[in-house]
Amino acid sequence: MWLKPEEVLLKNALKLWVTQKSSCYFILQRRRGHGEGGGRLTGATLEEINQHWDWLEQNLLHTLSVFDNKEDIASFVKGKVKALIAEETSSRLAKQEEEPEKFREALVKFEARFNFPEAEKLITYYSCCCWKGRVPRQGWLYLSINHLSFYSFFLGKELKLVVPWVDIQKLEKTSNVFLTATIRITTHRKERDFSMFLNLEEVFMLMEQLADVTLRRLLDNEGFDLDPDLQEPSRITKRDLEARAQNEFFRAFFRLPRQEKLHAVVDCSLWTPFSRCHTFGRLFASDSYICFASKEDGSCNVILPLREVVSIEKMEDTSLLPNPIIVSIRSKMAFQFIGLKNRDDLVQSLLIRLKQVHTDHPVHYDTSQDDDMTSHVFHSTSMCSDHKFGDLEMVSSQNREGSEEEKSPRPPSKALRAVLQRSGSQSLDLRMSREQIKLSLWNDHFVEYGRTVCMFRTEKVRKLVAMGIPESLRGRLWLLFSDAITDLASHPGYYANLVEESMGKCCLVTEEIERDLHRSLPEHPAFQNETGIAALRRVLTAYAHHNPNIGYCQSMNILTSVLLLYAKEEEAFWLLVAVCERMLPDYFNRRIIGAQVDQSVFEELIKEHLPELAEHLKDPSALASISLSWFLTLFLSIMPLESAVNIVDCFFYDGIKTIFQLGLAVLDANAEDLRSSKDDGQALMVISRFLDHIKNEDSPGPPVGSHHACSSNDQGPYPVIDIADLIWDSYEKFGAQSVEQIEHMRCRHRVRVLQGHEDTTKQNVLRIVTPEVSFLLEDLEEIYDLFKREHMMSCYWEQPRPLAPRHDPSRPYAEQYRIDAQQFTHLFQLVSPWTCGVHTKILAERMFRLLDDNMDHLIEFKAFVICLDIMYHGEMNEKIKLLYRLHIPPAFTENDLDSQSPLKNPLLSTSRPLVFGDSADYQKQLKQMIKDLAKEKNKTEAELPQMSQREFIQFCKTLFSMFHEDPEENNLYRAIATVTTLLLQIGEVGQQSSSPGSCSQEGEGELLASVPSPEQDSVFVDSDEGIVSQDSQAFPEEAEGDWTISLEHILASLLTEQSLVNFFEKPLDIKSRLENAKINQYSLKTFEMSSQSQPELRQKSSLLRR
C-alpha cells in the first residue's frame, strides 16, 4: 500500500516495520511478522510489489533530482501517484463499460420492466438501495436519457419507480440516520433517497449531467440553441456525459468560448523559470488552445492560443526529461512540457490543429520595426491590429481604406479616459506616485513572467491585480486576461463592418439602447458629450447586431461605458463579447437565467460561510433584490466608479469567483448590522451605505459617484473603507472556493432555477384559468401536470414535428405549452367523461378542430381545461350545446367518416310515434311543441347554424355510444329512440313548411296525418330488408339539403325524457379519472408508439422477403 510521506508521531512506530528495499527517496517495508517466505502483502503479490518498485526506480528517481527541496519532491510524488491511481480507476471503469454482454442483459431487463419505447436509451445502471421511510429496498437504478428508474423485488414485493429528469427539482448529496452517503432526489411531491453505491461521486455526477442536459433541452430554448450536443439525445452515452462535464469545467476554468471543444487532457509537468523547477499539472488541448493548470490550485496556469504558437517540437527523451515537447510562441518564448503520455499522438494532433488555425488566420513576421530589431512583431496578412508590450505601450496598426474613413465617422483612436486626460491634464500628486510604483512592479513582472496572453498566471499576478491595475495598463490587461485580444486579432475589420451594417437601422433593440444611453455613467465627464455617447451607441448596436439572441439587455450599457473608459472602441466591443458570452454565460438574455443561477449559488455560499446571517435572513428573495445587481453590473452600479474598477480587474483575472467572494466579504463586514436590522428596507440601507463609502485611495483620477442614492444623510459620519482592504479580505476569508466547486454548484442550482420558472409559469396559468372553471385547485394542478407531461412525452420519443414546437418560455404564460391533435386525443381518452368506446377517438378529433379556432393545429391549456370543465360541471344545455357544435362545421367535416361506430349502418325512421296517452294527445303535444319552439326562436337570435340530416345521424351515433355500459343503459336507449323519432318528425315538419307553395299549418297537418300505427316500434332498422325498403323514404336525396334541426329543437326534445336529463345532470368526479390517467399515461403512449412501429416492421420484412 502507499503511505503518504508525512511525519511519524510515535517514537517506536518504525519498529513495527522491516525495511526490504530503500533508496534516497523511497522505502519498501513489510509489517514485522507478516509477508515472509514470499507470501501476499496487503492484497498484492511479492512479484507485483517488486514490479512497482522497479517502476519507481526507472521513472521517478532521476526526475526527482531536479527539485531543490523536499516539499517540492513530496508534492510531485503525491501528485504522480494520485494520477496513476486515477488512471487505473478510469481504465478499470472503461473495461467494465466495454462488457457488452452485461450491458445488453441489463438493457433487456430495463425494457421488460418499464416498457418504455425503443427511443428511451439506457445510459448506465447501478446496484443500490432505495429508502422507503426507514426500510431500504435493494434493487437496480437505471439512468436513461429522459428518466431515472428504479426496480426492486424484495420479499415478494415488486417496486417500480419512474422519475422524469424534467420533474426533478433538487438533486443533492445528503446523509440520514443510517448512512452518511446518500443521493436525494426531490420532485414536486416526494423525496427519494438512494444509497449503497460503489462509487457515489460518479453516480451523482452522471445524475447532475443528465438532469442538466434534459432540462436545458426541454425547458431552456436559449441554452438549447447554443449547444448542439443537446439536440440529439439519442446519441448520448456515459462517456459523452463525462466528457461534457470535463469540457464545461475546462471552458469555465480558462474562460474560453462556448464552442471550444476539448480533445485531450494529459498529466505532465511544465518548466516554470521563475521557480526554476517543473510544476506538475495537466495539459488541456482543444480546437484553438493549449492550456496548462497546475495540480496545486493557483500555483501556475498558462493559456496558449494556437494563433500565437509558432512551432510544436519533440525533444530527445532522457531520464531527466521524459517525453518532452517544446511549444514556441510568437514573442520568442518557449514552454517545455515533460512526462507526456502518448506524446507522439498528442503532438501529431496538435500540429494538425495548429496548421488549421494558421490557415484560417495566417501570420507573418515584420522585421521593419526600428525600435526593437531583436523581437519580432507579428501582423496578420489581412492587416488586422495586433498588440505587443514593448515598453508598456500597445503598437496598433489599423490600416483602413480611404473610402471607409469617409463613409463612417472616425471613432476616437484612444480610450475615452485618455482623451479626457489629454484635453485637461492634472498635476501629479501622491496618488500619481503610487501609480508609478504599481507600474514599476508590473514592468518587473512582465520581464519574468511574460507580457502577452501567454504569460504565466501565478499567485503573484493575482496579488498585483488585487492591488489594482495601473490606469495606463488596465484596458490592455483586461484584453489579455479575458483573451479578448485573440478575438480582436482573429477578426480584422469585423467590428467596422458591424458598425456600418447596424447604424441607422431602427428596431426595438435600438430604441431600448437610445433610452439607456444617457443613463450610462451620467456623472462621468466622458459621457456628458456626444463623443462618449456616440461610441457607446456604436458598441451596443454592433453587439446587438453581432448576437441577436442576446441583443441588448439592461446593465450592458453600464458595463460597456466602463470598458470604453479604458479601452479603444473596437477593444471594448470584444471585451463585451468576452463578458457576455464567456465570462458571464446566460446572464444577458430575456430571463437572465445565468444571473439567477449564480444568485442561488451565492445564497448557498452564505449558508456555508455565514450561517448565523443566513439564519437571520429567512427570506432569500429579499437578499436577491440587493445582490442581483452585484452580479449583473459587477458592482459598477452600486459603488463609486474608482473603487468598482478594481473589482472589474479581479473579475477579468479570476472570473465570477471574484463576485462571489466580494459579495461574501460585504455581507461579512455588515453581518452584525444586518442581524440587528428590523426589516428588508433597513438591511438595504445598511448595505447601500457601506458600499457608497468604499473608496480607492490609490486612484489617480478625481472621484466619481455611484449610481445609487440609497444612503441616508441623517446619520453621523460613516467610516471610509479602502477597496484594496476589502478585496484582500475577500481573498483571505472566502478565496478557497475553486472553479470546479462553483461549476458543480451551478449545475445543481440551474435545475432549481429552471424548475422555479416552471412553477411560476404553472401558477400564472392556473391564476388565469381558475376564475373560468369550476375545478378544485388541486384537480386543476393535476390536469396541468398531465397536459405538460403529454407535451414532454412527445419531446422524449418522437421526432420534432413542425406542428408541435418545443417549449418556448418567451411566449405568454398560457401559451408556453401547447399540444397537437394527436396529443389532445391521448389526453381526451384519459380524462374525458364522454367515453364512447372506439368512437372516443373520433369525438376527440372533432373536439380538437372545434377548439383550434386560429387554425394553427395547436391548442393551449386554457382551451383544453374549459371544454373539460363543461363536460364535468356544465349545465345540461351547455353540454348539449357542446355536443351540437361537435357535429357541425368546423368540428364536423366532409372527410369525417365514422365507420367504427357501434351503430352499424343506422337507419333512422319516423315510423315510431311518441305515445303519451292516446294518439290525439300525442298530436296535440307535438303541435304545441313546434309552436313553442318557433316563439322561442323569435325571442333569441340563433347563434349556431342548423344541423343537417347527415350531421344529425352522427349526433345520434355519439349519444348512442356515450350510453354504452352505463348502469341505466336500457332506459337511455329507449329514451334516445323516442327523442330521435320526435326530432326526425320535427325536421320533416320544418322541411315541409319551408317547401315552395306550402304553409306551416298544412305541413303540420300532413305530418300528423302521416303518423303510422303505434304497433311499429323500430327506430334503428339494421335488417337488410329495412335498409333497402326504407332508405329512399327516410333520406330522400333531393330533400336532404332542406331537412334541418336546430339546437333548441334538440334541447327541448331531450328535456322530455327524465332518464336523459338525469344522465347529463348527474355529478361527475374527475379525481378517479386523474389517478387512472397518471398511471396509464405512459403505457398508452408506449402502446401507441409500438403499434405505429409494427406496420413499419412488417413493411421492412416484406421488402426483405422480396
Side-chain angles (χ1 to χ4, degrees), residues 2-134:
W2 286 101
L3 294 179
K4 292 183 179 180
E6 54 192 16
E7 184 179 0
V8 179
L9 300 179
L10 298 178
K11 183 178 180 180
N12 297 322
L14 292 178
K15 293 181 179 180
L16 299 174
W17 297 87
V18 178
T19 300
Q20 295 286 106
K21 296 180 181 180
S22 66
S23 67
C24 52
Y25 299 110
F26 300 101
I27 299 176
L28 177 61
Q29 295 180 324
R30 64 174 174 82
R31 182 84 178 270
R32 188 178 296 276
H34 296 266
E36 297 177 337
R40 296 178 62 84
L41 295 175
T42 322
T45 64
L46 186 61
E47 182 182 357
E48 291 173 334
I49 293 172
N50 288 328
Q51 288 178 357
H52 294 165
W53 180 264
D54 294 340
W55 187 91
L56 290 174
E57 289 185 331
Q58 295 170 9
N59 294 276
L60 284 186
L61 290 183
H62 298 291
T63 305
L64 297 178
S65 61
V66 301
F67 293 99
D68 295 333
N69 54 66
K70 294 181 179 180
E71 288 76 12
D72 292 341
I73 293 174
S75 177
F76 177 80
V77 172
K78 284 193 288 186
K80 191 68 176 177
V81 171
K82 288 180 180 178
L84 290 172
I85 295 172
E87 182 180 343
E88 183 181 355
T89 303
S90 62
S91 62
R92 187 175 68 251
L93 293 174
K95 185 177 180 180
Q96 291 176 359
E97 288 182 8
E98 293 170 0
E99 296 180 0
E101 292 300 326
K102 288 187 177 180
F103 188 84
R104 192 177 296 114
E105 181 183 348
L107 178 60
V108 170
K109 291 181 179 179
F110 170 72
E111 292 176 346
R113 288 167 176 172
F114 298 100
N115 197 29
F116 284 127
E118 293 182 5
E120 185 67 16
K121 181 179 178 181
L122 178 64
I123 303 297
T124 188
Y125 62 98
Y126 298 96
S127 173
C128 68
C129 281
C130 176
W131 290 81
K132 194 172 183 180
R134 296 187 177 183

Side-chain angles (χ1 to χ4, degrees), residues 908-917 922 925-926 929 952 956 959-960 963 969-987 1016-1020 1049-1050 1052-1060:
L908 300 182
S909 172
T910 60
S911 60
R912 175 179 176 174
L914 294 176
V915 181
F916 298 104
Y922 161 66
Q925 291 184 18
L926 180 59
M929 182 182 295
F952 178 69
C956 294
L959 289 177
F960 188 91
F963 302 149
E969 182 177 2
N970 293 331
N971 293 333
L972 290 170
Y973 284 158
R974 284 194 294 270
I976 195 62
T978 302
V979 170
T980 302
T981 302
L982 173 61
L983 288 172
L984 283 169
Q985 294 173 347
I986 293 174
Q1016 195 171 0
D1017 59 352
S1018 175
V1019 176
F1020 300 105
H1049 291 151
I1050 294 176
S1053 301
L1054 291 173
L1055 290 173
T1056 61
E1057 292 290 333
Q1058 188 61 42
S1059 58
L1060 295 176

Side-chain angles (χ1 to χ4, degrees), residues 836 838-843 845-846 887 892-906 950 953-959 961:
C836 309
V838 291
H839 189 69
T840 306
K841 184 177 180 181
I842 297 171
L843 193 65
E845 292 172 354
R846 293 173 184 167
H887 295 84
F892 185 85
T893 63
E894 291 297 327
N895 297 324
D896 186 5
L897 299 178
D898 185 4
S899 60
Q900 301 298 323
S901 172
L903 274 160
K904 297 179 181 179
N905 300 321
R950 179 172 177 270
I953 294 172
Q954 298 298 325
F955 178 83
C956 294
K957 286 183 180 182
T958 300
L959 289 177
S961 302

Side-chain angles (χ1 to χ4, degrees), residues 285-299:
S286 65
D287 293 334
S288 307
Y289 291 86
I290 300 173
C291 302
F292 176 83
S294 60
K295 285 289 186 180
E296 186 179 348
D297 189 28
S299 175

Side-chain angles (χ1 to χ4, degrees), residues 464-516:
L464 286 175
V465 172
M467 292 169 57
I469 297 176
E471 299 255 319
S472 57
L473 293 179
R474 178 163 278 137
R476 305 170 191 179
L477 288 175
W478 286 357
L479 284 168
L480 294 187
F481 293 151
S482 65
D483 195 38
I485 191 171
T486 301
D487 290 335
L488 173 65
S490 301
H491 299 83
Y494 179 74
Y495 173 71
N497 293 335
L498 277 180
V499 172
E500 185 175 354
E501 292 174 7
S502 59
M503 293 306 292
K505 294 184 178 179
C506 185
C507 60
L508 182 61
V509 172
T510 56
E511 292 176 2
E512 293 177 355
I513 292 174
E514 288 296 327
R515 282 199 299 267
D516 289 345

